Structure formats: C-alpha cells, structure tokens
C-alpha cells in the first residue's frame, strides 16, 4: 500500500527520490534537489550515476570502472556493488520530497523512503474507489465524510448504501416519509401510500357509492351522500318510513300520514288515510241524502251539517211519510196474504182430490187380491 501511494506521488509531481523509471519498470537514481547539504561537482563525480544523472541508488560499478545505479545496468551486464558509495549516499542529509507542499521533515536518504510511508503530504487515491486523489492527512476525512463511495445507513429504512446511490434510493425508499401526492396533508411512509390512497385519502376522487354517478373527493363525498345525493336514504317527515330522496316526492303525494285540510273545506286537518272515512262519516260539508228519502222525502242532497236541522223541521212530515209507507206496506202484505190463501185453498182442493183417487186405487187393488 505504501509503495503504491509513493508511486502515485512520483507520477504527479516528479520531485521525489525516484523520478525516472527504467525499461524494466524499476525506479532509478535519487534526485539531487532533495539534498540539504552542498553537493559539489566532486561529489557528483563520486556519487552521481553516469547513466540517469541522478545520485546512485544501490551503487555498483562495471568491469570497466563505470559507476551507476544497480537499476541502470543493461541486460546481463556484470556489475559489482560499491558498498562504500552506497553508505555515503544513504547518509546524505535530505528534506522530504514534499517540502513544496509543506512537509518540514529532515533526515538522511536512508530514512526518507520510510518517512514517505507515513508522510501526511503524500497524495493518495481514495481506497473506496471514487478516484479522488488527496493528501494523506485529508484522506481519512474524505473517506469518512466526503467520498461518494463511502457506505452510510439510510436514515429512514436503516439499509447500508453507498452515498452515490443514496439519492436514487431516497426516490424509492419504502420507509421514507412523504406527503400525499393529492395534497391532503398527510405524511406517511412511502410503502403506505397505496393503502392511504385506496382507503384514507380525503382528496381521492371516487364515484358516489349510492349509485348516482357523481364523482367527488372523499371529503366532499361524505357530505354529498348524507345531504345532497338524490339516492340518499331519508325519513318521510310524515310517516317516518325511509325512502330514497329521488322517490320521496312521489311517496309524499300518497303518504297515508300526510296532513291535509278537508277536501271539502270543513276546516278539519287530518291524515290522508283518514280522509275517506272523514268524508263518509264526519265531514259537515259532505252532501248526503235524507234518511227519509226512502219514504219519499223530496229534499234530495243536503250537507251533513244541515241534516239535523232538516230532520227537526220536517219531523212530522217525515212521520206521516213513514206512516203512509207502512200503511201501503200493510195493504200490500194483506193483498199478498189473501192471494196466498187463495193459492193454498186451491192446493188443498187438489190434494183432497188426489187423496180420493189414492183411496179408490187402494180399494181396487184389495179386490183383485
């Protein structure tokens, strides 16, 4: 990990110990500009690499006496380590290659690479994979608070997600608090929205459940079904039976408990069901016939309220009419009786003759016997 981080640094600023790569992929000599002590031409001739122009890394020399970095040798060239030069190079005083970024570390070349493993000014690529490169001393804060690839828990459902996916998750998180799409004011979990719309939302438009066909929001529908729907059930104010409102007017016209004044304007108020009986038996304005009409009273039709006066005024005449009627009746009865008596007499004679014949027949039968 440390080596990779140093390589990232080397690639970006080119001011570290190992600026140039060889063909084999190894880093070559140390750079002179990190040294904090004077580096004379003599020193350069003694410790400089003749091939990469840097300070020799792991100094060695060839059979011809040429000195160079061990990583600068070519192919299978035979080389020999120069231990004394190596020790001299490693003991050189130097600053951190990241001095330009603010690192104030001082030491020798031997410790510089070890220092880079912990130097806070080294640039590192985020280990979470977002691709951001930042200083090591800021990387922890980046990975903990800034990186879009960091994992955090959804505050609504508790699910662990990458921050870069959090916003798209919020669009479908079942536990996220949302307001009703129909603006009824209710706040609920997203997973409860469908149930809320189906059963609870006061702004959901529905057809009247009584069948009148009107479409209203639920908040309006409740009032509609109880107070304005033509198919709502309501009580007849007269008989207290229940009818649909659209049928009520027709019912009231014939409701037996409907209160009406007498049709003949006698002034009495009564139920429709009692009207017929009232007219037949009680109404003073009803025209009726005199009970003595059958005895030939000539008054004809008379109002019931005037009948008593009529009977009182014509009582003698009525008695005479009745007496005449009865006399005529007795006379007719007498005539009928006399007529019947005559028939009975004739029938009696017929019977006597028949009996005489029967006696004669019986005598004849006896003689023959």
């Amino acid at each position: 990990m440390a080596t990779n981080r140093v390589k990232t640094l080397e690639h970006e600023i080119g001011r570290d110990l190992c600026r140039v790569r060889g063909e084999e992929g190894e880093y070559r000599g140390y750079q002179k500009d990190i040294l904090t002590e004077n580096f004379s031409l003599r020193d350069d001739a003694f410790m400089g690499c003749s091939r990469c122009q840097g300070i020799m890394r792991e100094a060695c020399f060839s059979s011809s006496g040429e000195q160079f970095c061990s990583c600068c040798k070519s192919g299978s060239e035979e080389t020999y380590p120069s231990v004394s030069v190596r020790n001299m190079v490693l003991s050189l005083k130097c600053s951190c290659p990241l001095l330009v970024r603010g690192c104030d570390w001082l030491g020798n070349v031997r410790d510089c690479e070890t220092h880079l493993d912990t130097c806070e000014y080294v640039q590192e690529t985020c280990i979470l994979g977002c691709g951001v490169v930042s200083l090591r001393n800021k990387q922890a804060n980046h990975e903990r608070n800034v990186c879009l690839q960091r994992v955090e828990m959804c505050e609504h459902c508790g699910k662990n997600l990458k921050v870069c996916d959090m916003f798209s998750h919020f669009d479908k998180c079942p536990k996220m608090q949302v307001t009703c799409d129909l603006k009824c004011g209710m706040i609920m979990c997203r997973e409860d929205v469908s149930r809320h719309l189906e059963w609870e939302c006061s702004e959901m438009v529905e057809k009247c459940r009584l069948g009148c066909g009107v479409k209203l929001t639920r908040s309006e529908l409740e009032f509609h079904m109880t107070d304005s729907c033509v198919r709502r059930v309501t009580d007849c104010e007269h008989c207290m039976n229940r009818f649909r409102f659209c049928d009520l007017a027709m019912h009231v016209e014939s409701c037996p408990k409907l209160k009406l004044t007498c049709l003949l304007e006698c002034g009495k108020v009564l139920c429709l069901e009692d009207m017929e009986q009232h007219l037949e038996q009680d109404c003073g304005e009803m025209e009726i016939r005199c009970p003595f009409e059958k005895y030939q009273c000539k008054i004809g039709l008379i109002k019931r309220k005037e009948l008593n006066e009529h009977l009182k005024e014509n009582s003698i005449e009525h008695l005479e009419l009745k007496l005449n009627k009865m006399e005529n009746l007795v006379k007719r009865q007498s005539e009928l009786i006399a007529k019947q008596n005559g028939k009975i007499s004739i029938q009696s004679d017929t019977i006597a003759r028949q009996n005489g014949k029967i006696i004669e027949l019986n005598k004849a039968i006896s003689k023959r016997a």
Side-chain angles (χ1 to χ4, degrees), residues 90-225:
L90 292 175
S91 64
L92 290 173
K93 299 293 182 183
C94 68
S95 62
C96 176
L98 301 177
L99 175 65
V100 293
R101 291 184 180 165
C103 181
D104 56 3
W105 178 88
L106 296 173
N108 52 44
V109 173
R110 177 180 287 104
D111 299 327
C112 188
E113 290 195 52
T114 303
H115 161 70
L116 286 175
D117 287 338
T118 58
C119 179
E120 293 185 349
Y121 291 89
V122 171
Q123 282 190 329
E124 294 180 338
T125 302
C126 175
I127 62 174
L128 299 180
C130 72
V132 171
V133 177
S134 60
L135 297 181
R136 181 179 287 150
N137 61 356
K138 296 181 180 179
Q139 191 67 23
N141 178 66
H142 166 78
E143 293 170 358
R144 185 172 57 251
N145 300 315
V146 180
C147 181
L148 295 180
Q149 294 293 323
R150 73 185 188 277
V151 174
E152 289 191 356
M153 184 175 70
C154 173
E155 61 183 309
H156 306 292
C157 67
K159 186 176 181 179
N160 289 326
L161 298 160
K162 290 183 179 181
V163 172
C164 59
D165 299 328
M166 192 67 75
F167 290 106
S168 61
H169 168 73
F170 283 162
D171 291 336
K172 56 185 179 182
C173 177
K175 298 295 183 182
M176 186 171 182
Q177 296 288 303
V178 295
T179 55
C180 175
D181 294 338
L182 299 182
K183 300 180 181 180
C184 72
M186 287 292 292
I187 299 175
M188 73 215 80
C189 294
R190 181 177 280 114
E191 65 183 356
D192 297 328
V193 168
S194 58
R195 179 184 58 81
H196 166 74
L197 292 176
E198 184 176 359
W199 299 106
E200 301 171 356
C201 182
S202 60
E203 295 302 312
M204 187 69 175
V205 175
E206 289 184 346
K207 274 188 177 182
C208 175
R209 293 189 291 275
L210 299 180
C212 71
V214 171
K215 291 184 179 180
L216 296 169
T217 62
R218 283 196 182 111
S219 58
E220 299 169 330
L221 198 57
E222 184 176 354
F223 173 81
H224 165 77
M225 289 192 299

Side-chain angles (χ1 to χ4, degrees), residues 352-369:
R353 286 194 300 271
Q354 292 296 328
N355 285 335
K357 290 179 179 182
I358 291 171
I359 292 171
E360 290 177 357
L361 287 172
N362 286 332
K363 287 177 179 182
I365 293 170
S366 298
K367 286 179 180 181
R368 289 180 182 179

Side-chain angles (χ1 to χ4, degrees), residues 10-102:
E10 294 165 354
H11 176 70
E12 290 190 358
I13 65 172
R15 291 183 57 83
D16 57 359
L17 296 172
C18 319
R19 186 171 184 176
V20 183
R21 285 181 182 269
E23 294 178 357
E24 297 81 6
E26 295 292 335
Y27 284 99
R28 294 187 177 182
Y30 301 115
Q31 297 301 304
K32 300 171 184 177
D33 54 4
I34 68 171
L35 300 178
T36 59
E37 55 187 71
N38 291 328
F39 192 73
S40 64
L41 293 176
R42 177 177 169 277
D43 295 330
D44 188 22
F46 187 68
M47 291 182 282
C49 175
S50 61
R51 297 184 180 183
C52 69
Q53 309 305 315
I55 301 172
M56 286 185 288
R57 179 192 294 272
E58 298 180 355
C60 61
F61 58 91
S62 66
S63 58
S64 64
E66 182 185 5
Q67 294 189 111
F68 46 82
C69 303
S70 62
C71 56
C72 291
K73 73 176 182 176
S74 58
S76 59
E77 184 180 9
E78 186 177 359
T79 60
Y80 307 92
S82 180
V83 177
S84 60
V85 175
R86 289 184 181 185
N87 290 334
M88 289 177 64
V89 171
L90 292 175
S91 64
L92 290 173
K93 299 293 182 183
C94 68
S95 62
C96 176
L98 301 177
L99 175 65
V100 293
R101 291 184 180 165

